[in-house]
Amino acid sequence: MKIILLQDIKSLGKKGDIVEVNDGYARNYIFPKKLGAEANGKNLNDLKLQKAKEEKIAREQLETAENFAKEMAAKEVIVTIKGGEGGRVFGSISSKEIAQAAKTQCGMEIDKKKIQLSEPIKNFGVYEVAVKLHPKVTGKLKVKVQEDR
């Protein structure tokens, strides 16, 4: 019997896959636990429409992320911190501080977990920080570190 999986099943496949299983397995396990549905005309059509909707949403999210990356590349965020001699700072600039500065100065909501710092910023200057907006889109944000006076 062919069934459409409604949830991921470790031994069979992922959600939305069409798989062949024994009739008894489908009637006694899959259908009662609502893990799958019979692959008839109506259910196949519903699956096709659902996949089309998911693809459309994924495309819109990708476009939104790309547009936000372009907008973010044009902006510069200024972060101030106390410093000592030789251009060294006391402490370091974290992703949380960068996210707060971006929100207050540019009005951009950036999740601090998406800001990717290869190492903490411990010197004054201008840095390009990578921000992971989407699995396929990584934007760049200019961060200018100045001495707090």
Side-chain angles (χ1 to χ4, degrees):
M1 173 184 283
K2 286 192 175 199
I3 62 167
I4 300 169
L5 296 178
L6 299 176
Q7 295 180 13
D8 292 351
I9 300 176
K10 200 172 198 176
S11 60
L12 289 179
K14 301 221 178 267
K15 178 181 177 181
D17 288 350
I18 299 172
V19 294
E20 182 80 32
V21 296
N22 292 333
D23 292 351
Y25 183 59
R27 274 194 314 272
N28 297 324
Y29 182 73
I30 304 265
F31 296 153
K33 293 193 177 214
K34 307 233 187 296
L35 299 174
E38 187 177 352
N40 57 23
K42 179 192 177 300
N43 290 342
L44 287 172
N45 192 33
D46 290 347
L47 176 68
K48 187 171 83 171
L49 292 173
Q50 184 180 9
K51 283 189 177 184
K53 181 180 175 186
E54 288 172 359
E55 287 176 14
K56 180 182 175 202
I57 291 170
R59 273 196 312 272
E60 288 174 355
Q61 288 175 344
L62 180 63
E63 285 179 21
T64 303
E66 288 173 344
N67 291 338
F68 191 67
K70 288 176 188 172
E71 179 184 326
M72 191 170 45
K75 307 265 182 168
E76 181 178 77
V77 175
I78 299 171
V79 180
T80 58
I81 191 167
K82 290 186 179 183
E85 294 180 18
R88 299 287 292 174
V89 298
F90 294 133
S92 64
I93 304 293
S94 67
S95 58
K96 180 180 178 184
E97 293 168 318
I98 295 171
Q100 287 176 341
K103 184 176 181 181
T104 57
Q105 294 172 18
C106 304
M108 295 186 298
E109 289 282 338
I110 301 174
D111 187 7
K112 68 178 181 179
K113 295 173 190 149
K114 294 184 180 188
I115 296 174
Q116 299 174 327
L117 293 174
S118 56
E119 57 190 44
I121 299 174
K122 295 187 175 188
N123 293 317
F124 297 116
V126 179
Y127 298 90
E128 274 207 357
V129 177
V131 180
K132 186 109 173 146
L133 301 170
H134 187 272
K136 295 178 182 177
V137 179
T138 301
K140 299 281 184 190
L141 178 66
K142 282 186 183 174
V143 177
K144 187 174 184 179
V145 181
Q146 292 180 339
E147 187 171 358
D148 191 14
R149 297 195 163 132

